[in-house]
Amino acid sequence: MDKILILDFGSQTTQLIGRRIRDMGVYTEIIPGDAALTAELPPELKGIILSGSPESVYGHGAAPDRKVYDCGLPLLGICYGLQRMNYDNGGKVEALPKREYGRITVTIEGEASRDPNGSGEDPVQTERLRQFLSGFSAKEAGNQDASFTAWMSHGDTLTTLAPGFRQFGVSGTGYPAVLAHETKPWFGLQFHPEVTHNEKGKEILAAFVFGVCGCTSGWTMEQYVEEVRTSVAAKTGTNPVLLLISGGVDSTVAGALLLKTLNPDQVHLMYMDTGLMRKDETGTVKASLEKLGAKHLHIVYCEDEFLGALRGLDDPEAKRKVIGDLFISIQEREVARLGLPETCFLAQGTLYTDLIESGKGVGKKARLIKSHHNVGSPLVDAKRKQGKIIEPLDRLYKDEVRRLGRLLGVDEEVVRRHPFPGPGLAVRILGEVTKEKCDILREADAVYIEELKKRGLYDEIWQAFAVLLPLRSVGVAGDVRKYGWVLALRAITSADGMTADVYPFPSKDLIEISTLITNTVKDIGRVTYDISSKPPATIEWE
Ligand code: XMP
C-alpha cells in the first residue's frame, strides 16, 4: 500500500495534512521533522512532505535528516518546509517586514512545458511539474494563469532561491508562493493547502500525491481489517487476548476488530461497571459486544467499591486518585480471577493520535498511552515488557475508527457516542459523590443527550454532558417553595479535546431542553449553560 511520509516541524496543521491525504485514500504517517531516516526507505513510500513550523530556519527550527534530499523521492515543502528546503540547499530565507496571516491571493505564472533550464528538457521532471501545476489550474485543463485564494501564516520568506529552484507562483503581496526544482522532484508552497480556507488545497495535495508521487488510492477500512487479520494473528497465534473495554468508541471498536479478525474463543473482554457510568451504559455495551460475537465478556460490577471509596471525598484530585488506584486494584484482582495463562496478550484501543513519535526513524515510534485506567497499570507495564501488547487501532484517527466501527457492525449508538472520561460521573458531580447524586445526574444527562439527538444537534457537538453542582437553589412547585439542585449543561466543539469552543446553542433549543429537564427530573431546580471555552476552562469541571 502506497504511503506518504510527513515530517512534522511543529505546525498546528500537520495533522490536517495527514487527514486530507488519508481522505483521498492514501496512507500517511507523521514523524518528527528531525527524525533520522532509515538507510533504506520502504518501497511503499512514494513521497515526503515537510510541514510548517512556528520556528524560523535561521532560528530554532529543526532540520530534516539530510537523506531526505538524497533519497530521490518527490518532496513537497509547505511554508516552513519550503523555506527549509530552500535554506538547506543554498538559498536565503529572511524575515518579512510584516508577518502575513490569513487569506492571500496567489497567481500562477509559469508554464510547465517551458524548457526548465534552457539547455534541454528533462521530460520526467517536466511531466511531474505539469502534474503538480495541474492542481492549480482552473476547470479547463492547461489554464495555468489562475489566481486563487490561499491561506498563509508566515513571518519569513524566500529572498534568494537555492540553485535549481524556480518560481511558478507569486502572492498578491509579491512574495514567492509556488516553487519547483528544475531537475529534482522538489516542490514547495508558501501557503497551507491542508487548511480548508485554501481554495485549491485539496486539488493541489491530490496533484502532488497522485500526479507527482504516482500513488494509488488503496487506504480503505476493508484493507485495514485484512492487514490487522494478518499482523495480529501472526503475533498472537492461538494465545488468548484480553481487552479492557471502557464502553467508549475506541475500545469497543478494538473489541469488534479482534472478534472479527481472531477466533472469538481467543478474545476475552473485561468491562467494569463502576456505578459512575451514563444511563444504560452497561446494557448498551453488553448488547453491542454480544451482537458482535463476544463469547467471553466479563462484566465486573463494582459500584459499591467505587462509591464506598469515594465517600466523604470532595477534593477533585483526591477523587481522581482514589478512582485510578481502585481501577488498577480491581483490574488486577479480576484478571487474576479469569485465570488466563502467562502467554496471554493484552490489547489496547490506542489511536494514532495517542502515539508520540520518538524520532528514531520511519515507523519506529515510542508509545505513550493516555487512557485513564491504563496509566501506570502494572498489568500494562508487565505485558509491554514481555512484548505482549497489541494495539490494532494504532494507525487510525478517531473518525477512521468510527468508519471502521460502522464497517464491523458496531451499534450506531456506540460509534457516534461523545467521549466520556475514565473517572466517569465522579468528575461531573462536584464535591462528594453519592449514589443519589449519580442517579439524578444520570437521569438529567440522559434527557439532555436524548433531546440533542432528537433535535439533530448531537453530531454537531464534539462533547455534551450535564454537571451536577454542589448547590441547591430556591424554586416553586405549585404553591410550595422547594430547593432543587443546580445543573450545568456543557456542549463544546473541538477537533481533539485539546482546545474547545462553546457550542453556539440555538436559544430556543436550550430553553426547551432546560424546561424539559426541570419538568422531568424533580430534584433539579435550575439549569445553567456553561459558556467557557478551553482554554482557560477545561472541558470537564473537575
Ligand atoms: P479536559 O477536561 O482536560 O478534557 O479539558 C479533555 C478531554 O478528555 C476527557 N477527560 C478524560 N478522559 N480520563 C479520560 O479517559 C480522564 O481522567 C479524563 N479527564 C478528562 C474529557 O472528557 C475531554 O473529552
Side-chain angles (χ1 to χ4, degrees):
M1 181 179 54
D2 292 343
K3 178 165 100 179
I4 296 285
L5 183 67
I6 300 167
L7 300 183
D8 177 21
F9 292 101
S11 160
Q12 285 191 339
T13 54
T14 304
Q15 292 282 348
L16 268 183
I17 308 172
R19 295 309 335 275
R20 299 277 178 261
I21 298 174
R22 283 184 179 216
D23 287 347
M24 296 171 196
V26 175
Y27 181 62
T28 56
E29 251 178 39
I30 301 174
I31 64 167
D34 57 359
L37 298 182
T38 42
E40 239 174 76
L41 294 173
E44 65 272 18
L45 185 59
K46 297 290 188 249
I48 301 178
I49 295 180
L50 288 77
S51 86
S53 170
E55 304 288 351
S56 280
V57 290
Y58 51 79
H60 297 294
D65 183 332
R66 194 64 224 178
K67 277 192 214 92
V68 87
Y69 300 120
D70 301 330
C71 69
L73 285 174
L75 306 182
L76 175 65
I78 294 179
C79 193
Y80 173 92
L82 162 63
Q83 295 164 9
R84 193 76 249 179
M85 286 163 70
N86 190 55
Y87 183 82
D88 290 347
N89 293 285
K92 229 175 174 180
V93 173
E94 288 174 287
L96 285 167
K98 191 166 164 271
R99 188 177 171 77
E100 288 198 309
Y101 182 84
R103 292 175 169 87
I104 290 165
T105 303
V106 165
T107 306
I108 299 299
E109 44 182 26
E111 280 173 52
S113 58
R114 210 167 66 197
D115 176 2
N117 52 18
S119 59
E121 290 183 9
D122 171 355
V124 178
Q125 179 60 0
T126 303
E127 176 55 17
R128 282 185 180 130
L129 197 50
R130 203 184 62 73
Q131 291 284 350
F132 181 62
L133 292 178
S134 71
F136 299 82
S137 42
K139 282 191 191 87
E140 65 283 19
N143 170 12
Q144 279 146 14
D145 291 324
S147 288
F148 62 97
T149 304
W151 194 87
M152 301 207 189
S153 171
H154 63 130
D156 291 338
T157 187
L158 275 51
T159 47
T160 307
L161 300 193
F165 266 124
R166 212 171 97 196
Q167 180 171 313
F168 284 89
V170 63
S171 73
T173 40
Y175 297 105
V178 180
L179 287 103
H181 198 278
E182 288 172 343
T183 52
K184 301 183 183 193
W186 296 356
F187 303 87
L189 306 168
Q190 184 50 68
F191 54 87
H192 288 270
E194 69 277 17
V195 170
T196 43
H197 312 303
N198 214 101
E199 228 171 43
K200 295 188 182 225
K202 215 171 132 192
E203 291 82 352
I204 295 167
L205 284 175
F208 176 72
V209 169
F210 298 113
V212 175
C213 301
C215 288
T216 46
S217 110
W219 172 244
T220 61
M221 287 305 124
E222 284 85 351
Q223 167 143 2
Y224 191 75
V225 174
E226 285 319 306
E227 282 182 20
V228 169
R229 196 190 297 284
T230 318
S231 62
V232 171
K235 197 165 174 190
T236 61
T238 53
N239 290 308
V241 178
L242 171 67
L243 172 71
L244 307 172
I245 298 268
S246 70
V249 183
D250 306 345
S251 58
T252 310
V253 174
L257 187 55
L258 293 179
L259 289 166
K260 175 91 178 175
T261 53
L262 296 174
N263 178 348
D265 257 327
Q266 267 177 284
V267 181
H268 296 258
L269 306 169
M270 196 172 97
Y271 168 87
M272 273 189 227
D273 181 338
T274 59
L276 304 167
M277 328 302 291
R278 290 166 284 193
K279 189 175 176 187
D280 298 332
E281 185 140 20
T282 303
T284 311
V285 170
K286 185 168 182 290
S288 183
L289 290 167
E290 280 170 351
K291 208 176 94 190
L292 291 164
K295 291 195 168 173
H296 308 291
L297 173 59
H298 311 282
I299 298 188
V300 186
Y301 291 95
C302 38
E303 178 180 35
D304 292 347
E305 283 178 88
F306 275 90
L307 292 181
L310 285 166
R311 193 170 301 133
L313 290 184
D314 63 4
D315 175 64
E317 270 316 299
K319 283 161 64 178
R320 274 181 178 270
K321 169 115 183 50
V322 158
I323 293 169
D325 290 350
L326 200 53
F327 254 117
I328 290 171
S329 62
I330 297 181
Q331 180 183 299
E332 287 207 312
R333 181 187 77 205
E334 295 297 324
V335 170
R337 188 174 289 175
L338 292 181
L340 294 169
E342 263 297 290
T343 52
C344 169
F345 280 76
L346 184 71
Q348 300 205 112
T350 316
L351 304 194
Y352 189 56
T353 33
D354 296 333
L355 300 179
I356 292 177
E357 276 93 7
S358 70
K360 287 199 193 124
V362 178
K364 289 187 194 153
K365 304 176 222 89
R367 278 140 199 251
L368 190 83
I369 311 307
K370 68 173 169 61
S371 140
H372 169 82
H373 42 279
N374 291 340
V375 168
S377 154
L379 176 67
V380 176
D381 292 347
K383 287 295 173 191
R384 197 171 291 287
K385 269 199 203 110
Q386 297 165 13
K388 289 197 162 13
I389 293 267
I390 52 172
E391 293 167 317
L393 305 182
D394 67 351
R395 286 188 292 152
L396 303 184
Y397 285 90
K398 188 82 173 186
D399 61 329
E400 290 171 328
V401 169
R402 291 203 160 100
R403 262 183 14 230
L404 176 62
R406 290 194 174 100
L407 176 74
L408 296 171
V410 176
D411 281 343
E412 195 56 26
E413 176 79 358
V414 176
V415 168
R416 287 162 72 202
R417 182 168 278 177
H418 290 170
F420 188 61
L425 298 185
V427 292
R428 296 177 178 175
I429 294 172
L430 306 199
E432 189 186 1
V433 179
T434 62
K435 168 113 173 81
E436 186 207 358
K437 285 184 182 173
C438 287
D439 288 339
I440 296 170
L441 180 57
R442 239 189 301 271
E443 212 44 54
D445 188 71
V447 173
Y448 178 36
I449 298 299
E450 190 54 39
E451 276 306 300
L452 293 179
K453 287 182 181 164
K454 271 194 204 150
R455 290 161 193 260
L457 303 175
Y458 187 77
D459 293 328
E460 282 184 21
I461 296 169
W462 198 76
Q463 195 171 5
F465 54 90
V467 180
L468 192 68
L469 307 188
L471 290 175
R472 284 179 192 262
S473 84
V474 70
V476 285
D479 290 337
V480 188
R481 281 167 76 82
K482 72 162 202 174
Y483 291 89
W485 290 108
V486 181
L487 188 81
L489 301 182
R490 186 105 167 103
I492 52 107
T493 56
S494 176
D496 50 14
M498 303 301 282
T499 60
D501 290 316
V502 178
Y503 177 65
F505 240 117
S507 51
K508 180 173 176 292
D509 292 297
L510 200 51
I511 294 167
E512 287 172 3
I513 292 172
S514 157
T515 308
L516 194 66
I517 292 174
T518 46
N519 282 351
T520 48
V521 190
K522 68 173 179 26
D523 297 285
I524 303 291
R526 202 173 284 260
V527 176
T528 66
Y529 185 52
D530 178 358
I531 53 167
S532 327
S533 49
K534 173 184 178 177
T538 50
I539 296 175
E540 302 292 344
W541 276 45
E542 273 194 347

